[in-house]
Amino acid sequence: MDILEYKCPNCGADLKFSPTTQMLTCEYCTGSFTVDEVKNLYAGKEQSDESPAEDTSASDEEFEENAKIYCCTSCGAEIMAEPQQTALFCYYCHNPVIISGKMSGQYRPQKIIGFKMDRASALKQFKSWCFKKFVPNDFRTNQQLEKITGMYVPFWLADCNVSSSLKAVGTQVKRWTSGGYNYTNTKEFQITRAATLSASGVPADGSQKIDDDLMESIEPFDYGEMQDFTSAYMSGFYADKFDMNKDDIFPRIKERVTAVCREKMRNSMTGYNSLRMESETYDFTNINWTYIMLPVWFMSYKYKNQIYEFVMNGQTGKIAGSLPISHTKLNAVSAGIFAAVTAVSFVAFAALIGGIF
């Protein structure tokens, strides 16, 4: 069977999606084409179908034919890539990966947000973020910088209605002084709140390999820029394969939505000195899911058997991560500070002795 690769209609070279121009570009003849133009060029081989649940659809068949899966034998990560991509290392643990087969059509996303931050922007942000005195010397080497990867992360978006109720006891305390005596009047009130709220586009990433807090720290994404999925957006990038389905991530969705509902109801309980919660219920109905790929620039670094990760929102440029600390550098600086303080103390002491004598 033919493998779908996006070729330049002018010179036949590979086309890659450019976050800067939002077009597919050719590095050889500098030709540029919109996503729609490329979709029309390959209309016979690729169809954009918003209903990936139909496993026999042409969209799923095309996806199965052209999405390769790479497997890391060390950490078990499964990485999805287009046919012309060559994955030499796992961006989670830095071990080699091997081609293990093709992707099933059930992994075809419904929607996608394309990269808007290019590799140069990601590297600039990374260098600025990690410019710390105590990081290891090889943390900013060219060899390390080459490992920054443009990756689409699988996310589930949930729309739902929540019927919530909350019962609490509110306390009002009044204090005053009269006739040389102090008085306190305490009143308690039974408070109830009930509300039906609608939540739209609540996200949760579908990969166990990526830390949930790390992904949440680079939110929000602008979901108004979602597009119907087409493989053209993936040209030149990698994608993670989801290993958590809707049932797996629903507890996280519930936790996030519940926290918002609770906050809104508690904020309406004003005029009390204290609140004591007695009961709360949250019933979720009309749950609808969207499987989407979101753009993330990702880099991992292994230092003393621990993995450190840097991520950047490929749409907005927001960054987060953790930095390794070189204790050799830290000790050297500490020793220098100690020596400087000791020298200052000695001079002060000598001046004091000179003053006495």
Side-chain angles (χ1 to χ4, degrees):
M1 295 184 181
D2 294 335
I3 293 178
L4 177 61
E5 298 183 24
Y6 295 99
K7 299 292 186 180
C8 175
N10 295 332
C11 68
D14 291 336
L15 292 175
K16 293 185 178 181
F17 181 76
S18 169
T20 305
T21 64
Q22 295 292 291
M23 302 174 74
L24 281 89
T25 60
C26 175
E27 297 177 351
Y28 292 90
C29 71
T30 68
S32 296
F33 308 90
T34 67
V35 172
D36 287 338
E37 286 174 338
V38 172
K39 286 171 65 176
N40 291 333
L41 286 172
Y42 287 84
K45 295 184 179 180
E46 177 182 8
Q47 298 180 22
S48 179
D49 186 350
E50 293 187 22
S51 303
E54 298 179 10
D55 294 336
T56 59
S57 69
S59 302
D60 287 347
E61 290 177 1
E62 176 272 322
F63 186 79
E64 291 177 11
E65 278 301 306
N66 299 292
K68 292 193 300 185
I69 185 72
Y70 295 85
C71 181
C72 176
T73 57
S74 177
C75 71
E78 292 183 307
I79 305 162
M80 183 172 62
E82 56 178 347
Q84 60 265 38
Q85 289 285 67
T86 302
L88 300 178
F89 66 93
C90 172
Y91 39 67
Y92 293 118
C93 70
H94 287 196
N95 284 305
V97 295
I98 59 173
I99 298 176
S100 63
K102 296 182 178 180
M103 293 288 291
S104 167
Q106 66 174 315
Y107 291 101
R108 181 183 184 274
Q110 296 166 267
K111 301 287 185 177
I112 190 169
I113 294 178
F115 276 85
K116 296 186 73 174
M117 308 296 292
D118 60 14
R119 183 182 181 84
S121 300
L123 286 173
K124 182 178 179 180
Q125 289 274 52
F126 174 77
K127 290 177 181 178
S128 175
W129 171 76
C130 72
F131 190 71
K132 309 292 182 183
K133 292 182 178 179
F134 306 129
V135 298
N137 288 330
D138 59 347
F139 191 60
R140 296 191 298 270
T141 62
N142 289 333
Q143 182 180 6
Q144 173 64 20
L145 296 178
E146 289 175 356
K147 294 177 179 177
I148 194 165
T149 305
M151 177 176 66
Y152 285 103
V153 177
F155 269 76
W156 295 98
L157 301 184
D159 300 335
C160 58
N161 294 330
V162 186
S163 298
S164 53
S165 63
L166 191 151
K167 293 183 179 180
V169 174
T171 302
Q172 291 181 342
V173 180
K174 182 180 180 181
R175 295 183 176 87
W176 70 94
T177 301
S178 178
Y181 292 94
N182 296 324
Y183 296 89
T184 300
N185 181 20
T186 301
K187 294 181 180 179
E188 289 189 342
F189 300 86
Q190 188 73 45
I191 309 169
T192 60
R193 292 289 187 271
T196 299
L197 302 177
S198 295
S200 177
V202 183
D205 75 85
S207 174
Q208 295 187 60
K209 295 296 180 183
I210 303 179
D211 183 76
D212 296 336
D213 293 334
L214 195 62
M215 285 293 97
E216 291 179 11
S217 65
I218 61 172
E219 292 179 7
F221 289 84
D222 182 2
Y223 298 113
E225 296 186 347
M226 284 192 306
Q227 302 293 331
D228 293 340
F229 177 79
T230 172
S231 299
Y233 286 101
M234 286 184 56
S235 187
F237 298 95
Y238 295 99
D240 200 0
K241 173 188 173 185
F242 79 78
D243 52 13
M244 300 180 70
N245 59 32
K246 297 187 288 288
D247 294 334
D248 295 328
I249 60 93
F250 187 55
R252 265 183 30 233
I253 296 290
K254 289 184 65 175
E255 182 180 351
R256 299 189 73 175
V257 175
T258 297
V260 174
C261 293
R262 181 186 295 115
E263 181 182 11
K264 288 185 176 296
M265 288 193 291
R266 292 193 63 167
N267 287 344
S268 71
M269 299 178 181
T270 59
Y272 303 97
N273 298 94
S274 64
L275 289 171
R276 185 177 73 252
M277 298 300 143
E278 291 190 328
S279 65
E280 53 186 319
T281 60
Y282 303 91
D283 296 323
F284 287 71
T285 57
N286 299 328
I287 304 168
N288 295 307
W289 297 92
T290 303
Y291 174 39
I292 181 174
M293 285 290 187
L294 297 180
V296 176
W297 284 101
F298 185 91
M299 182 187 289
S300 62
Y301 178 81
K302 192 172 185 178
Y303 181 67
K304 292 188 175 180
N305 296 321
Q306 184 173 347
I307 299 295
Y308 297 86
E309 295 175 333
F310 162 83
V311 293
M312 185 179 89
N313 185 315
Q315 182 190 36
T316 67
K318 188 176 181 181
I319 62 176
S322 56
L323 284 170
I325 300 298
S326 171
H327 293 287
T328 301
K329 284 189 175 183
L330 184 60
N331 292 337
V333 172
S334 299
I337 294 174
F338 177 77
V341 172
T342 302
V344 171
S345 301
F346 177 77
V347 171
F349 179 72
L352 178 62
I353 295 297
I356 294 175
F357 288 96

